[in-house]
Amino acid sequence: MAAVTSSFSFSTPTQSPSQRKLTVSSTRFLSSDSDAVRFRFSFSSHCVGVRTSNSVSKLAVRCSSSVSDPLPTVSETKLNFLKAYKRPIPSIYNSVLQELIVQQHLMRYKKSYRYDPVFALGFVTVYDQLMDGYPSDEDRDAIFQAYINALKEDPEQYRVDAQKLEEWARAQNSSSLIEFSSREGEVEGILKDIAERAGGKGDFSYSRFFAVGLFRLLELANAMEPTILEKLCAALNINKRSVDRDLDVYRNLLSKLVQAKELLKEYIDREKKKREERTEPQKTNEAITK
């Protein structure tokens, strides 16, 4: 059986005239001798503000590691993941997860990194989109647990915080979403803390997961107008240009994920048909013999 490999990237793909393209950035290779679906997936992060702050939310404290802890290497994080989840993972998912965990390791152990629920919402959104259609729901959850634990964070907190923000966003509209600073509440407090840190009064490390988290809030609040995003970024002290760029890539990623899974399904169906065609003459001969 020909290998199906995968990786995903937000970078611009190169293109060969002899290759049929599918980009995330991606390249689709289909030939008479072998079939492979290949993707490259890469998240980068940007630092916004590096000064310390005394205003640390309870949600952030639970996921933050002690400064005295030695920083693990990328290899150690990957090994922790493999130790925690020992079952085989289909290559189209495994290659992506291996690259993704390397990129998130680099975000996780930046000096300016501090967990926040919007980041968690962004990662959960990306993970669920990536693993949508995985053969086993139970395994998909187990992989999520192993992945977050390998980064020495709390997978349950990721899920709880993501759900909390989703429920809050569903109750918002275009106006209330950007007026969080004038209201009291748990999620409002989370957003205020982010705005304070991103404004230079504490540690804040912007990343594409954070941008996806913002996108998810807007989506659930049915507030997709560009002006709303601009006002929300201003309220959070986030660079809108960076968010726009990352959201364009994320939207492209979603469409390419759909195409990737369609390619995989086509490949599996084609291989199944070939096996059936090979076994049919054998069945006919056995019937004649009998």
Side-chain angles (χ1 to χ4, degrees):
M1 180 174 175
V4 178
T5 60
S6 65
S7 58
F8 290 80
S9 182
F10 284 139
S11 58
T12 303
T14 57
Q15 187 168 3
S16 166
S18 63
Q19 294 169 344
R20 186 178 172 188
K21 305 309 278 181
L22 175 64
T23 57
V24 178
S25 302
S26 64
T27 307
R28 175 182 179 182
F29 300 99
L30 294 178
S31 67
S32 56
D33 297 325
S34 64
D35 300 88
V37 184
R38 189 179 183 185
F39 303 88
R40 181 172 179 77
F41 183 89
S42 167
F43 278 88
S44 65
S45 59
H46 310 277
C47 176
V48 182
V50 293
R51 285 178 290 177
T52 59
S53 171
N54 291 327
S55 59
V56 180
S57 67
K58 294 180 180 178
L59 289 170
V61 170
R62 291 202 302 269
C63 270
S64 297
S65 61
S66 170
V67 272
S68 62
D69 293 340
L71 297 182
T73 64
V74 171
S75 297
E76 288 171 340
T77 296
K78 292 179 70 175
L79 183 60
N80 288 338
F81 172 66
L82 295 174
K83 286 180 178 178
Y85 189 83
K86 298 179 181 180
R87 299 185 63 181
I89 300 174
S91 60
I92 195 169
Y93 298 100
N94 188 49
S95 297
V96 178
L97 288 169
Q98 290 297 322
E99 269 197 65
L100 192 58
I101 201 169
V102 170
Q103 296 297 325
Q104 193 166 349
H105 171 99
L106 299 178
M107 297 180 203
R108 167 73 175 85
Y109 292 107
K110 287 180 67 173
K111 289 183 178 179
S112 57
Y113 173 80
R114 230 187 69 196
Y115 169 89
D116 70 65
V118 176
F119 176 96
L121 175 60
F123 174 77
V124 168
T125 300
V126 170
Y127 181 86
D128 288 347
Q129 290 283 351
L130 169 65
M131 302 296 283
D132 181 45
Y134 196 78
S136 166
D137 290 343
E138 183 179 349
D139 287 342
R140 181 175 57 197
D141 293 340
I143 292 169
F144 181 86
Q145 296 276 333
Y147 182 105
I148 300 299
N149 281 326
L151 291 159
K152 297 185 178 180
E153 292 192 313
D154 184 352
E156 184 63 24
Q157 184 179 0
Y158 267 71
R159 286 293 185 187
V160 169
D161 289 347
Q163 183 178 0
K164 189 178 301 179
L165 264 64
E166 287 179 342
E167 291 174 352
W168 177 85
R170 289 189 182 98
Q172 306 306 310
N173 54 44
S174 298
S175 298
S176 64
L177 189 66
I178 61 177
E179 294 171 355
F180 65 85
S181 61
S182 63
R183 304 199 313 272
E184 297 298 324
E186 183 176 9
V187 174
E188 286 83 356
I190 291 169
L191 298 178
K192 290 176 188 178
D193 177 65
I194 291 171
E196 182 179 348
R197 291 186 288 114
K201 297 181 180 179
D203 290 342
F204 181 78
S205 182
Y206 170 84
S207 74
R208 283 174 174 160
F209 285 133
F210 186 90
V212 173
L214 289 185
F215 176 83
R216 184 63 176 153
L217 293 177
L218 295 168
E219 186 179 43
L220 292 171
N222 195 25
M224 302 297 288
E225 303 91 339
T227 55
I228 302 303
L229 175 60
E230 183 176 2
K231 291 177 181 178
L232 181 59
C233 287
L236 289 169
N237 296 313
I238 303 298
N239 187 322
K240 182 178 179 292
R241 184 175 298 178
S242 296
V243 174
D244 283 337
R245 179 197 62 216
D246 292 338
L247 290 183
D248 283 342
V249 176
Y250 174 64
R251 294 184 189 103
N252 184 57
L253 169 64
L254 295 184
S255 65
K256 300 309 179 183
L257 280 172
V258 172
Q259 295 179 50
K261 289 168 185 177
E262 288 176 352
L263 287 176
L264 180 61
K265 184 178 183 301
E266 289 175 9
Y267 170 79
I268 292 173
D269 291 344
R270 187 166 58 252
E271 289 298 306
K272 181 180 179 182
K273 185 177 180 181
K274 287 179 182 178
R275 287 195 299 271
E276 290 174 349
E277 290 173 349
R278 286 195 296 265
T279 58
E280 189 62 32
Q282 182 179 351
K283 291 180 180 178
T284 302
N285 291 336
E286 291 175 353
I288 294 173
T289 302
K290 291 180 181 178

